[in-house]
Amino acid sequence: MTIEDIALQLTPGIGVKGAAHLIDTFGDARHLFAASEEELTARAGLRPDAARQIVRRRAFADAEREMAYCRRHGITPLAATDEAYPPLLREIPDRPHVLYVMGEAGALSARCLSIVGTRDATPYGQTMCNRLVEGLAERVPGLCIVSGLAFGIDTACHRAALAFGMPTVGIIASALPGITPAQHTAVARDMIEHGGAVVSELHSQTRQNGNFYHSRNRLLAGISGGTVVVESPA
């Protein structure tokens, strides 16, 4: 992780897919920011205004603030070019270039299975969470359970993983260190204390508008070898 990695994420006009394309083209963020405007437009096909944003390093002051924020709050930023970045997630075309992690970053590179479902879980859904996770704990050593820390099935899966001694990762749709929903802060703390993690792709300067839940779901699917939907409306 370098300051250039966060600066890339914070550069105006460079979206998630744009950042992935630039890293694929130049190899890493340092080589990207060392490129000339002509290289950026010719090799990567950037618009001249976007290329100038990179050449002039407009986002570096914000990136320094973000790095300080992460140090202050015990957040580990991971770039897609870091060894600890989850390998399956690196394969999706709209991978986030930087993930923000609280807890054990190594859990993200374990063998992961996402388990998700409705926020209005029934007793059946709660029971099936426990049965599925218990069976997985017995049959698949080292498995990490991934979910979204939401109400209902998500948190039932996290709690089941904790009960059966499995690491569990929550991917949330807000910036750390806050937990959304706030009622699950204690669960998140237990997850971190027992070898799991809480993860977000959102930096602290993100304007929260409640619209990040759908984009978060691609991370739940992308980080895992499979996804189980326990219970859902039609």
Side-chain angles (χ1 to χ4, degrees):
M1 164 60 66
T2 67
I3 192 68
E4 286 89 351
D5 290 303
I6 293 181
L8 172 59
Q9 186 189 43
L10 297 177
T11 298
I14 306 295
V16 172
K17 288 186 177 180
H21 167 66
L22 288 169
I23 294 301
D24 288 343
T25 302
F26 289 94
D28 59 42
R30 280 185 169 163
H31 284 98
L32 167 65
F33 278 97
S36 66
E37 185 175 332
E38 290 73 20
E39 287 179 290
L40 291 167
T41 55
R43 287 182 60 189
L46 279 188
R47 299 189 318 272
D49 59 326
R52 283 192 292 273
Q53 294 278 2
I54 292 173
V55 170
R56 294 172 184 175
R57 299 183 167 226
R58 287 288 176 82
F60 271 66
D62 287 338
E64 292 283 3
R65 283 192 288 272
E66 194 65 28
M67 291 286 272
Y69 177 91
C70 289
R71 288 191 293 268
R72 192 161 62 247
H73 292 285
I75 299 167
T76 301
L78 287 180
T81 47
D82 292 342
E83 186 176 348
Y85 192 90
L88 290 180
L89 189 60
R90 194 182 286 122
E91 296 179 11
I92 70 172
D94 52 351
R95 64 184 181 268
H97 182 60
V98 177
L99 291 175
Y100 298 91
V101 182
M102 292 183 68
E104 178 51 62
L108 281 64
S109 297
R111 190 178 187 186
C112 291
L113 178 71
S114 291
I115 306 183
V116 297
T118 178
R119 297 184 181 189
D120 299 317
T122 64
Y124 157 82
Q126 300 276 348
T127 298
M128 287 310 302
C129 285
N130 288 331
R131 288 185 181 175
L132 287 168
V133 174
E134 181 180 18
L136 289 164
E138 292 172 354
R139 293 168 175 79
V140 191
L143 186 69
C144 178
I145 300 299
V146 179
S147 199
L149 255 176
F151 290 106
I153 294 298
D154 286 20
T155 300
C157 293
H158 291 307
R159 288 189 170 123
L162 290 167
F164 295 109
M166 304 174 76
T168 181
V169 168
I171 302 180
I172 64 173
S174 59
L176 295 168
I179 301 298
T180 304
Q183 294 94 318
H184 295 160
T185 300
V187 177
R189 188 182 307 117
D190 285 347
M191 292 161 60
I192 291 169
E193 290 175 354
H194 290 85
V198 180
V199 181
S200 177
E201 67 174 315
L202 304 178
H203 53 79
S204 69
Q205 299 162 55
T206 303
R207 292 184 179 179
Q208 295 294 142
N209 57 16
N211 293 330
F212 295 109
Y213 288 95
H214 289 299
S215 60
R216 180 273 307 271
N217 290 342
R218 82 191 193 287
L219 307 185
L220 286 168
I223 199 173
S224 300
T227 302
V228 176
V229 182
V230 173
E231 182 179 31
S232 174

